[in-house]
Amino acid sequence: MVDFSVIALGIIKTILNILSVSWWILLPLGLFFIWREFWVWGLNRLWKRKIQWVLLEIQIPRNILKTPKAMENVFSALHALYMRDIGFEDIYFKGEELYWFTCELVGYAGGVHFYIRCPAGFRNLVESVIYSEYPDAEIVEAEDYTELMPSVLPNDVYDLWGNDFILAQPNPYPIKTYEFFEANVDEQRLDPVAAITEVMSRLKEGEAIWLQILIRPVSSDWKKEGEELRDKIMERKKEKEPSWLNALVDGMVQFLKNLSLAATQHPVWSEGDKKDEKFKMFHLSPGEQNILKGIDNKISKLGFEAAMRFIYIDRRDSFTPSNIAAVNGAIRQWNTLDMNSFRSIRETMTFITSRKLTAESWFRKEKLFYRKRLIYDLYKLRWFPLKFSILNTEELATIFHFPLITVEAPLLSRIDTKRGEPPSNLPIS
């Protein structure tokens, strides 16, 4: 009978013997990788702190008749932030990464506000593309509204709920976009932002809802994932090109065959097997065909790495969980069961089960405090979470755009008059 304990003990002794003679190689190698991570992390933090940021508030006009298509054009122009890929030297010697910006929808008891935070060097780009689509809007530099709250939350007076959202399915699957909500008649046209602005307009004194969309333009390489997914659904097989060795062997075989039969028939040279490609397209259900159309439409437009961050702040003695549910419900209107939806990032969600028989509930109070501090600090810094998704310009315009005239949120901040430009021939002396 085999004694497995003796075998296991022998394996352990062998491993220890190997480590005893090779530790001087393995230990420095392991320490190198740890040092590399800290080196890149430290350089990146220094690089981020050198960036000059500007927070712009967009004061929207009262009569907006344009659909979110106008905001899609804005995001397409803002893709100009992408200039080149980040290389080895940029990462390991400069700590750089691609520039990003945030679109922020903020609600207090005093009103609902729209902000865009971008590097100061791109302020002219942001202002020009917004004015090109919304000439009646006004853009002003604003003070950081996060400074109105205590520097450390939660505390003895205020509590918060926070969460980061990314796509639940692979990136090529689209969410429900603004085209689904549109209608030819203005009175029947729905605005997907209306549900969120309505919740923000009903906040009491001391409450705040912050919604932040972090976006960073990327190259078109992400399209490959969508093309592969589309081909898989259609059962389209991509034939591999034969190697030069296989081509040489095939050519020699054909030459010898034709040489042996030259006395009886003309030589025949193969041009490769041309197989008729059979697609699954004609056997797909209407729902599956819509999925294919949705994937094709998404990968045809410019893409951004994106994540959405939501924070609700209120006094401890009057904390209102129903406002959290209302915002989560408004976010779900962009979800579909057959394509894509938003899901919470578990590591940043400020919820931990209270069931005592699970290991997750151990040190529950300390874990909750850490997560709340973390997401509050990340929101103020406007830093990306570790996980993010890819949204195209149409999806971003669905999530963040200026409400139509039909949205009647009572505290939605709008301007009644347009600031005019002075005449070109106005004397200055």
Side-chain angles (χ1 to χ4, degrees), residues 349-410:
M349 184 170 62
T350 56
F351 171 80
I352 296 176
T353 180
S354 58
R355 290 179 293 180
K356 303 299 183 182
L357 299 180
T358 60
E360 186 181 0
S361 64
W362 297 351
F363 305 104
R364 180 175 183 270
K365 184 177 180 181
E366 291 77 9
K367 290 179 180 178
L368 272 178
F369 179 78
Y370 168 75
R371 287 190 183 182
K372 291 178 181 181
R373 282 292 309 273
L374 175 65
I375 198 166
Y376 184 67
D377 291 342
L378 286 176
Y379 190 102
K380 296 182 67 174
L381 291 170
R382 278 86 170 183
W383 285 1
F384 263 79
L386 295 178
K387 299 178 181 178
F388 46 83
S389 302
I390 292 186
L391 302 177
N392 69 2
T393 53
E394 182 178 332
E395 292 172 310
L396 290 175
T398 302
I399 300 170
F400 185 87
H401 63 266
F402 307 135
L404 301 171
I405 189 175
T406 54
V407 178
E408 299 180 355

Side-chain angles (χ1 to χ4, degrees), residues 219-230:
S219 68
S220 59
D221 291 343
W222 71 279
K223 288 182 54 180
K224 297 177 182 178
E225 182 184 358
E227 293 169 350
E228 292 174 357
L229 180 60
R230 177 197 61 195

